[in-house]
């Protein structure tokens, strides 16, 4: 099959400590490939787990996300090996990225899914994520004092540490493409409120809609509690020594993680900064989803 030509090529560079988005230039895309592209800690693994179950039509599938549905940008996986593993797949494929869309190629023949979450929840979830890493790759960007790391989050910096500026850039790129029929945009809080509805949206968007009974079973299997309990199947790189605890990858699915941690001055600084970056309407959706 001849390689697909992208409609757009990358126009911005988001290379960082962990990611190299230039790898996408040699990604051999197939019609129907699914790209899950979210800011870190915004529901990437959640959606990839749902897709793995829908593709296999099996809620008990061994998702093995990091190998079967790889993060294309990550520097620490051999690229030739990743390509060979993807090329060998004969079923619908899914891959992931955390790079804003202007840093990636875009193919009309692919399906894209993006999920967004309150930026402060992203930051605190990322703090827990980094604490659970067995390596020191990003730990220097997250000092022990949460208020100190939050101030750095507002200032910007290393893209792979997911500062506010990178989250907003990712969101704005998705908003600029939201009229395209091959992009589905979801919100983390909406998924928490109505997981069955989110599973149905993902299934319809990708053309993986099966019997209602399958969607019910996938919904039950995609709860936070079940994915944590089955972390060996759903945690990326499970059993490979990447995490201090594979179950700890699913640390806490809650919201408003800043309560009791940040001071009024911290929240005022956040309010001032995000008000510079987004309109009131766009900010409200990014933070709270469809229903405040």
């Amino acid at each position: 099959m001849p390689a697909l030509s992208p409609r757009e090529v990358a126009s911005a560079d988001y290379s960082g400590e962990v990611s190299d988005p230039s790898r996408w230039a040699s990604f051999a895309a197939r019609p129907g490939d699914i790209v899950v592209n979210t800011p870190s800690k915004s529901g990437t693994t959640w959606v990839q787990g749902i897709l793995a179950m829908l593709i296999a039509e099996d809620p008990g599938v061994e998702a093995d996300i990091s190998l079967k549905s790889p993060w294309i940008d990550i520097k620490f996986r051999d690229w030739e090996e990743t390509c060979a593993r993807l090329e060998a797949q004969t079923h619908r494929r899914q891959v992931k990225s955390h790079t804003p869309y202007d840093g990636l190629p875009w193919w009309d023949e692919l399906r894209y899914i993006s999920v967004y979450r309150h930026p402060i929840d992203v930051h605190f979830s990322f703090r827990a994520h980094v604490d659970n890493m067995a390596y020191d790759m990003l730990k220097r960007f997250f000092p022990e004092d949460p208020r100190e790391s939050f101030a750095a989050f507002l200032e910007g910096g290393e893209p792979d540490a997911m500062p506010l500026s990178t989250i907003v850039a990712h969101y704005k790129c998705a908003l600029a493409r939201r009229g395209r029929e091959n992009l589905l945009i979801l919100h983390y809080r909406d998924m928490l409120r109505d997981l069955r509805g989110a599973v149905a949206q993902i299934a319809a968007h990708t053309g993986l809609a099966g019997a209602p009974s399958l969607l019910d079973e996938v919904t039950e299997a995609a709860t936070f509690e079940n994915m944590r309990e089955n972390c060996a199947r759903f945690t990326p790189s499970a059993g490979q020594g990447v995490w201090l605890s594979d179950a700890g990858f699913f640390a806490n699915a809650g919201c408003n993680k800043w309560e009791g941690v940040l001071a009024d001055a911290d929240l005022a600084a956040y309010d001032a900064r995000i008000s510079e970056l987004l309109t009131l309407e766009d900010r409200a959706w990014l933070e709270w989803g469809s229903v405040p």
Side-chain angles (χ1 to χ4, degrees):
M1 180 184 299
L4 293 176
S5 297
R7 169 179 172 179
E8 298 167 12
V9 297
S11 59
D13 182 9
Y14 295 96
S15 299
E17 291 273 319
V18 178
S19 64
D20 176 13
S22 70
R23 289 180 172 222
W24 280 90
S26 55
F27 171 65
R30 294 178 187 169
D33 281 346
I34 304 162
V35 179
V36 180
N37 185 17
T38 78
S40 297
K41 309 312 297 179
S42 298
T44 323
T45 300
W46 200 1
V47 172
Q48 286 203 285
I50 291 168
L51 285 169
M53 292 185 276
L54 290 173
I55 290 169
E57 298 185 349
D58 178 9
V61 68
E62 293 290 338
D64 198 8
I65 288 170
S66 60
L67 296 180
K68 295 179 181 177
S69 314
W71 179 8
I72 297 297
D73 318 57
I74 193 168
K75 293 178 177 180
F76 309 114
R77 294 277 185 193
D78 181 86
W79 179 234
E80 297 302 323
E81 182 181 326
T82 297
C83 290
R85 191 177 292 114
L86 284 169
E87 182 62 27
Q89 294 183 21
T90 57
H91 53 69
R92 286 286 295 279
R93 306 186 306 179
Q94 58 155 322
V95 294
K96 85 167 188 180
S97 181
H98 297 306
T99 300
Y101 281 112
D102 60 352
L104 303 177
W106 179 280
W107 291 269
D108 287 341
E109 299 89 345
L110 275 58
R111 310 303 287 182
Y112 295 84
I113 302 174
S114 289
V115 187
Y116 295 95
R117 186 181 189 184
H118 196 300
I120 308 182
D121 279 331
V122 171
H123 175 68
F124 278 91
S125 184
F126 210 139
R127 277 184 60 88
H129 181 70
V130 169
D131 283 345
N132 190 39
M133 288 180 177
Y135 305 101
D136 293 332
M137 289 181 292
L138 296 172
K139 293 191 177 183
R140 72 181 185 278
F141 299 108
F142 292 86
E144 184 175 350
D145 182 348
R147 295 186 64 197
E148 184 180 347
S149 78
F150 186 70
F153 165 75
L154 297 182
E155 290 171 5
E158 168 59 42
D160 286 332
M162 209 50 57
L164 178 62
S165 56
T166 299
I167 295 171
V168 170
H170 199 296
Y171 178 49
K172 284 184 171 180
C173 284
L175 291 180
R177 292 160 175 77
R178 62 183 159 184
R180 300 182 185 182
E181 63 86 24
N182 62 333
L183 171 62
L184 173 65
I185 302 176
L186 301 171
H187 197 280
Y188 191 93
R189 285 183 185 250
D190 292 337
M191 292 181 68
L192 286 175
R193 294 183 188 108
D194 181 11
L195 181 55
R196 177 61 167 75
V199 169
Q201 283 184 280
I202 292 167
H205 177 69
T206 56
L208 294 168
S213 59
L214 173 64
L215 300 189
D216 291 339
E217 292 171 3
V218 169
T219 300
E220 183 176 353
T223 63
F224 175 82
E225 294 77 11
N226 188 71
M227 293 185 80
R228 181 184 175 93
E229 183 177 339
N230 290 279
C231 60
R233 293 198 288 120
F234 291 111
T235 295
S237 302
Q240 299 175 35
V242 173
W243 313 108
L244 299 177
S245 165
D246 288 343
F249 182 87
F250 299 98
N252 183 337
C255 300
N256 296 25
K257 294 174 181 286
W258 61 86
E259 292 178 348
V261 180
L262 297 180
D264 289 345
D266 302 319
L267 295 174
Y270 166 79
D271 183 74
R273 180 65 180 133
I274 199 165
S275 294
E276 295 172 351
L277 299 172
L278 291 171
T279 66
L280 285 174
E281 180 181 3
D282 289 342
R283 171 186 172 178
W285 191 90
L286 176 61
E287 292 177 336
W288 309 113
S290 300
V291 183

